[in-house]
Amino acid sequence: MRQIVTTVLVIAAIVSLVVVGFTYEQVQKEKNRLESDLQYRSTLLAETLKESIEIYVSNPDNKTYVQGMVDRFNEKKRVEGVTVYDNKEMPIASSSGMDKISLQTANEVAINSMDEDKITSNYIQTPEKSLFFFAQPLREKDSVVGSLVLVQNASFINDRLQSLWYSNLIRLTIQVTVISAALILILNYLIYRPLRAITESVREASLGGSINNKPIKNAGFLTPLFSEIQKVSQSLQIAQESASLEARLRHEKEESPWTESRLKEYIKNVLHEKKIIAVSNREPYEHTRVNGKISVVVPASGMVTALEPVMQACGGTWVANGSGLADQETADEHSRIPVPPDNPKYTLRRIWLTREQNVGYYQHFSNEGLWPLCHLVHTRPIFRPNDWRHYREVNEIFSKTVLEETNGERRPIVLIQDFHLALTPNIIKSQLSGAKIGIFWHIPWPNAEVFSICPYRKELIDGMLGADLIGFHTQQHCNNFIDTVNRELESLVDIETGTITRKGHKTRIRPFPISISFTGTPSALQTDPIDRVDILKSYGIHSQYVALGVDRLDYTKGLIERIKSVDQFLTIYPQYQESFTLLQISSPSRTDVKKYQEFTTEVKQKVEEVNKKYAKGSWKPIVFVYRHHSHEELTRLYKIADVCMVTSLHDGMNLVAKEFISARDDEGGSLILSKFAGAAKQLEECCIINPYDIEETAHAIHKSLTASQYKKQHIMHKLREKIQKYNIYRWSYEYLKEIYTIT
Ligand code: ADQ
């Protein structure tokens, strides 16, 4: 405000100086004009009188005549008085208005005019008025015989000049007031206020406050400048916000576990609620028909277990194969359904495949070809050209559906899951180059030698390299993938940075060990008193010690080896006969695939064989339950088991191991874990075994049952800390952050 006042004062002073200067000049001109006018008039008047009296002045006898002429003349306008002098400088006639002061001055002027023989004039100022003295020499022949002095009132000149000054100063005052007011308004509204607003907003931005996005009102010609400054301020604010968020997240990372709400906050703040589309073969909710009634099932799948909490946190759309018997009738006309059914948080978009496509793409190519190819379990992969055709066809269908679901968003984040959809990254990328695509490979990646078995290997890895990010569970799987690409395709591989550049497109290869939603907060089930005896009784178990196995019925999970190790355990430690039982919970899996049908039979036979060998009365060493269980049922079993056995022959990660740890809020129980499961790289504290070494596993069971309570608790405490720290929300955060930073 001070600057406005100073600016206005300076401008007012300049205007005043200019006006005063011009007024002075005008006054001078007017003064000159009026004085010459007075001089001219005086000359005319004096000439008239001079003609009448000039010849009479030298004769003293004519004094009376001269006096008469003077008296007559005195009546003229503005004439104050007239005096006529003889050449002895003596007044011979004078009008009545000539007082003492006037006579004295008139005398001087008259003498001058006679001495110099020319018209002489002078102004004098009396207290009442201004007087103009005009003296004209009088001649007779060539000699000066006297002087005629005319005195006029010249006050009108001063009056006129004063009124000029007065009116000009009044005008100046009005001008300065109006100009100052206008200036104050203009400066205040057009400059000062907008400047103050922008200064405030820049200051707020620099202090981390929020930027006002609204355009600054009445900014006039400064609007473009301000909108630019606003943009800069907004960028500054965004940079500060993400820096402070990053700092907070970094701080929180050390301080507290990742949770659903923290992930949501991250997505909201950093990804700015970008559209997230998950894509997988398996759907998270399957509608089936049981006894004519529709029911919903969450399939037994590690991928679903891991991704479901992420989608609940992110929202968005999950595109999956609608494989349930009642899927079509529960979805809307666009094949969409909000899920979870009881509390919807995201959209499930189902796609419909023909029976031939399902057989060729899913049962054959994925489950008989890629699954055994990637798991080193000595099962021969089968590749048929017709299945490959279906695989490509279905990958096209998935990609098309993803593009439909982007809803015009040019830079969606697309999270592709698993080996069923290896070709989709390239197809989607070629049609929507702005999409940020990640594919996560949930199963192991074998070494290059093994992968070279696949006749379609080049097309598969080329398809995957359309992604910006390829994730595996372990660094070993990343290394194997990089080796495979190096061997099979023309590309630029940078082992140091873990990137592959092919046809100008760069793909990052990174390990992200997947996890579960454990946050350390007690589950609702924890507060329920768990009646161990009742639960076991419901499975027909009366043993003191219980080992638990939970798996999809899959030949990679090492079930035969697990059963054999129980057999061995009861042989080496016969004291556990009648007091130890393995409760094996297996959900039917890929039941249309021949190898799985054979394997189910084999497992059941093996269970029977061992049970036959040891069973006594109502006790049997192995209780095999072949059905899907709810999450709650599994959690109760995890809580009462003495040992959880994970004996996979090869496994990407294995989430059962992590679910068991998460359920044990009593810090009890022991975990036996195969060294061929990805989880073994993280959970080194538990009892790690080689599932092919049956005796080693048998001893591990014994060791687990006999370990001191203190040791068990100590180990479980450490394991729980690890899972809590690296749960599925942290996994998603790291995965999404990696995708987000891709330019
Ligand atoms: P899966 O081989 O399906 O997944 P896994 O990690 O063992 O593997 O998870 C299985 C899931 O199914 C668990 O959540 C478990 O609770 C559930 N489940 C098992 N039996 C069940 C039953 N009878 N009833 C109900 N649910 C049951 C693939 C890879 C893994 C990887 C995951 C995640 O093979 O190595 O860990 O993806 O990436």
Side-chain angles (χ1 to χ4, degrees):
M1 203 63 190
R2 248 179 56 202
Q3 286 94 328
I4 292 186
V5 173
T6 313
T7 312
V8 170
L9 284 180
V10 168
I11 292 176
I14 292 170
V15 171
S16 303
L17 270 179
V18 171
V19 171
V20 168
F22 278 117
T23 307
Y24 178 78
E25 196 195 353
Q26 188 187 4
V27 165
Q28 287 309 311
K29 275 187 185 161
E30 185 68 0
K31 189 180 170 206
N32 291 343
R33 187 183 70 77
L34 292 173
E35 282 180 354
S36 41
D37 194 40
L38 185 60
Q39 181 93 17
Y40 176 69
R41 275 189 59 230
S42 302
T43 310
L44 285 181
L45 284 172
E47 280 296 328
T48 316
L49 186 58
K50 181 183 154 195
E51 276 172 22
S52 317
I53 62 169
E54 199 168 38
I55 51 169
Y56 303 106
V57 171
S58 55
N59 189 349
D61 298 337
N62 295 333
K63 233 178 179 180
T64 316
Y65 170 76
V66 175
Q67 181 63 50
M69 290 303 289
V70 165
D71 288 343
R72 229 192 300 159
F73 203 79
N74 197 36
E75 286 154 16
K76 299 269 183 211
K77 191 180 163 203
R78 285 204 196 124
V79 174
E80 288 285 312
V82 181
T83 303
V84 179
Y85 291 87
D86 60 16
N87 57 1
K88 293 183 192 80
E89 297 157 14
M90 292 301 291
I92 54 171
S94 188
S95 65
S96 55
M98 294 293 278
D99 55 20
K100 213 172 165 191
I101 304 167
S102 303
L103 271 175
Q104 194 184 336
T105 311
N107 205 13
E108 287 165 15
V109 178
I111 292 168
N112 279 346
S113 74
M114 286 187 285
D115 287 350
E116 292 174 19
D117 190 14
K118 65 172 192 189
I119 290 170
T120 309
S121 61
N122 195 11
Y123 284 89
I124 71 152
Q125 184 66 46
T126 71
E128 296 86 35
K129 50 194 163 190
S130 166
L131 294 173
F132 177 64
F133 288 80
F134 179 90
Q136 162 103 41
L138 299 171
R139 286 197 193 82
E140 203 174 299
K141 295 190 182 142
D142 286 335
S143 48
V144 175
V145 291
S147 179
L148 164 65
V149 178
L150 186 62
V151 183
Q152 293 210 73
N153 189 342
S155 294
F156 76 95
I157 295 180
N158 282 346
D159 292 348
R160 170 77 188 124
L161 297 184
Q162 263 174 17
S163 99
L164 253 184
W165 273 114
Y166 181 73
S167 62
N168 273 8
L169 286 180
I170 292 281
R171 205 175 301 146
L172 171 68
T173 312
I174 294 169
Q175 276 174 357
V176 166
T177 311
V178 171
I179 289 173
S180 300
L183 267 176
I184 287 173
L185 288 177
I186 290 169
L187 289 175
N188 192 31
Y189 284 97
L190 288 188
I191 298 178
Y192 179 69
R193 283 186 177 209
L195 269 178
R196 199 176 54 182
I198 203 80
T199 310
E200 279 302 309
S201 85
V202 172
R203 188 185 300 135
E204 266 185 39
S206 68
L207 293 175
S210 68
I211 279 281
N212 186 1
N213 285 330
K214 284 184 214 145
I216 289 170
K217 280 185 193 159
N218 306 325
F221 55 88
L222 292 176
T223 307
L225 171 69
F226 289 163
S227 71
E228 284 309 309
I229 292 176
Q230 241 173 354
K231 278 183 209 158
V232 173
S233 302
Q234 277 161 7
S235 322
L236 177 67
Q237 190 190 20
I238 290 166
Q240 274 179 337
E241 276 173 5
S242 39
S244 75
L245 179 74
E246 269 295 303
R248 206 172 74 232
L249 293 180
R250 231 178 291 130
H251 176 65
E252 282 177 8
K253 196 188 274 184
E254 283 140 29
E255 295 297 314
S256 62
W258 275 82
T259 59
E260 182 180 336
S261 55
R262 191 174 160 195
L263 181 64
K264 265 186 192 159
E265 194 197 349
Y266 170 76
I267 289 164
K268 200 169 130 223
N269 288 317
V270 178
L271 305 185
H272 303 295
E273 291 177 340
K274 259 191 186 312
K275 173 109 187 149
I276 295 182
I277 304 173
V279 202
S280 70
N281 171 67
R282 170 72 69 227
E283 56 181 342
Y285 294 93
E286 198 178 74
H287 286 88
T288 53
R289 211 169 250 290
V290 183
N291 303 329
K293 275 181 103 185
I294 292 179
S295 68
V296 65
V297 177
V298 176
S301 152
M303 184 279 298
V304 170
T305 306
L307 205 65
E308 161 71 0
V310 177
M311 288 309 285
Q312 288 207 22
C314 306
T317 303
W318 188 331
V319 177
N321 180 11
S323 51
L325 286 177
D327 274 355
Q328 297 238 17
E329 56 190 295
T330 47
D332 68 11
E333 72 272 25
H334 303 292
S335 311
R336 297 190 186 113
I337 177 168
V339 288
D342 49 350
N343 179 20
K345 290 189 173 163
Y346 64 95
T347 304
L348 170 60
R349 165 75 197 268
R350 286 171 171 151
I351 62 161
W352 317 113
L353 302 179
T354 62
R355 213 195 94 71
E356 290 70 35
Q357 284 170 333
N358 256 317
V359 171
Y361 138 82
Y362 179 65
Q363 289 176 23
H364 288 176
F365 195 84
S366 298
N367 293 337
E368 290 186 348
L370 291 178
W371 179 265
L373 176 75
C374 291
H375 288 90
L376 306 180
V377 292
H378 315 289
T379 298
R380 276 192 183 163
I382 303 167
F383 295 107
R384 306 177 189 93
N386 206 33
D387 299 338
W388 170 238
R389 190 173 61 76
H390 283 305
Y391 186 86
R392 278 187 316 190
E393 206 171 277
V394 172
N395 271 249
E396 291 276 356
I397 295 172
F398 268 98
S399 307
K400 198 170 143 253
T401 313
V402 169
L403 292 166
E404 272 169 29
E405 290 299 321
T406 55
N407 274 339
E409 158 86 57
R410 303 303 303 157
R411 295 176 68 78
I413 292 181
V414 183
L415 307 175
I416 300 163
Q417 308 302 316
D418 238 351
F419 58 97
H420 313 92
L421 301 169
L423 305 179
T424 54
N426 221 356
I427 304 172
I428 297 171
K429 196 71 169 185
S430 64
Q431 295 188 44
L432 189 63
S433 59
K436 294 193 175 189
I437 304 175
I439 180 165
F440 193 82
W441 200 259
H442 289 262
I443 60 176
W445 190 276
N447 64 42
E449 187 78 18
V450 170
F451 200 78
S452 71
I453 292 172
C454 178
Y456 312 106
R457 59 194 178 278
K458 291 191 198 303
E459 290 91 332
L460 286 168
I461 50 181
D462 189 41
M464 290 172 75
L465 289 173
D468 301 289
L469 177 66
I470 301 179
F472 294 98
H473 291 300
T474 68
Q475 186 59 53
Q476 183 59 51
H477 300 157
C478 294
N479 296 347
N480 287 349
F481 178 80
I482 292 173
D483 276 356
T484 307
V485 176
N486 221 353
R487 178 170 161 154
E488 301 292 351
L489 290 182
E490 205 170 295
S491 59
L492 195 71
V493 171
D494 186 339
I495 293 170
E496 290 266 297
T497 60
T499 54
I500 298 172
T501 308
R502 176 159 163 79
K503 295 178 186 161
H505 175 65
K506 195 181 264 183
T507 305
R508 298 184 194 179
I509 319 298
R510 298 278 185 279
F512 299 96
I514 211 158
S515 195
I516 54 166
S517 61
F518 178 52
T519 58
T521 6
S523 68
L525 286 174
Q526 191 199 11
T527 49
D528 289 349
I530 294 164
D531 193 341
R532 185 177 196 267
V533 178
D534 280 355
I535 294 170
L536 291 179
K537 223 173 166 180
S538 68
Y539 288 92
I541 299 171
H542 304 283
S543 298
Q544 185 184 351
Y545 303 106
V546 173
L548 177 69
V550 176
D551 315 78
R552 283 185 304 101
L553 196 58
D554 193 295
Y555 54 84
T556 61
K557 300 295 179 183
L559 280 186
I560 297 294
E561 287 72 11
R562 197 178 304 166
I563 296 164
K564 281 183 181 170
S565 68
V566 168
D567 180 2
Q568 187 77 358
F569 166 67
L570 292 173
T571 304
I572 304 174
Y573 303 100
Q575 65 275 29
Y576 285 93
Q577 289 180 22
E578 295 183 74
S579 65
F580 171 90
T581 298
L582 167 68
L583 173 58
Q584 178 58 46
I585 306 289
S586 290
S587 63
S589 181
R590 305 173 189 173
T591 46
D592 293 328
V593 179
K594 197 164 158 244
K595 177 75 193 167
Y596 282 76
Q597 293 160 1
E598 289 168 2
F599 183 67
T600 308
T601 310
E602 190 188 347
V603 169
K604 284 179 179 170
Q605 280 172 358
K606 193 75 195 158
V607 169
E608 248 175 62
E609 185 192 307
V610 175
N611 277 345
K612 216 168 171 185
K613 185 170 169 188
Y614 296 99
K616 277 186 197 145
S618 63
W619 175 79
K620 49 184 180 178
I622 301 171
V623 171
F624 179 71
V625 184
Y626 184 51
R627 75 165 168 87
H628 186 274
H629 278 54
S630 72
H631 177 70
E632 289 71 23
E633 282 178 303
L634 289 181
T635 307
R636 284 197 180 90
L637 293 176
Y638 289 139
K639 279 173 180 288
I640 59 168
D642 296 290
V643 184
C644 179
M645 295 186 74
V646 175
T647 54
S648 312
L649 303 180
H650 202 190
D651 216 335
M653 174 54 65
N654 194 285
L655 294 181
V656 170
K658 295 188 173 181
E659 287 170 355
F660 173 66
I661 294 167
S662 151
R664 296 314 293 248
D665 30 34
D666 63 342
E667 298 190 340
S670 305
L671 174 66
I672 292 176
L673 178 60
S674 161
K675 69 175 184 177
F676 301 119
K681 302 270 179 304
Q682 276 184 305
L683 310 173
E684 314 97 331
E685 291 83 357
C686 69
C687 187
I688 306 280
I689 50 107
N690 171 1
Y692 292 96
D693 188 338
I694 305 297
E695 211 168 296
E696 184 193 32
T697 312
H699 287 304
I701 297 172
H702 181 252
K703 217 169 115 190
S704 300
L705 294 178
T706 53
S708 71
Q709 194 62 18
Y710 170 78
K711 190 172 177 193
K712 281 198 266 192
Q713 274 192 348
H714 179 70
I715 292 173
M716 189 52 79
H717 183 79
K718 282 194 164 178
L719 294 173
R720 283 173 67 78
E721 270 183 350
K722 280 192 174 173
I723 308 282
Q724 182 179 359
K725 207 166 169 193
Y726 204 105
N727 60 19
I728 191 65
Y729 303 112
R730 165 98 179 261
W731 177 86
S732 316
Y733 156 69
E734 297 203 341
Y735 193 67
L736 288 171
K737 191 176 89 176
E738 190 76 39
I739 291 193
Y740 185 66
T741 55
I742 290 165
T743 46

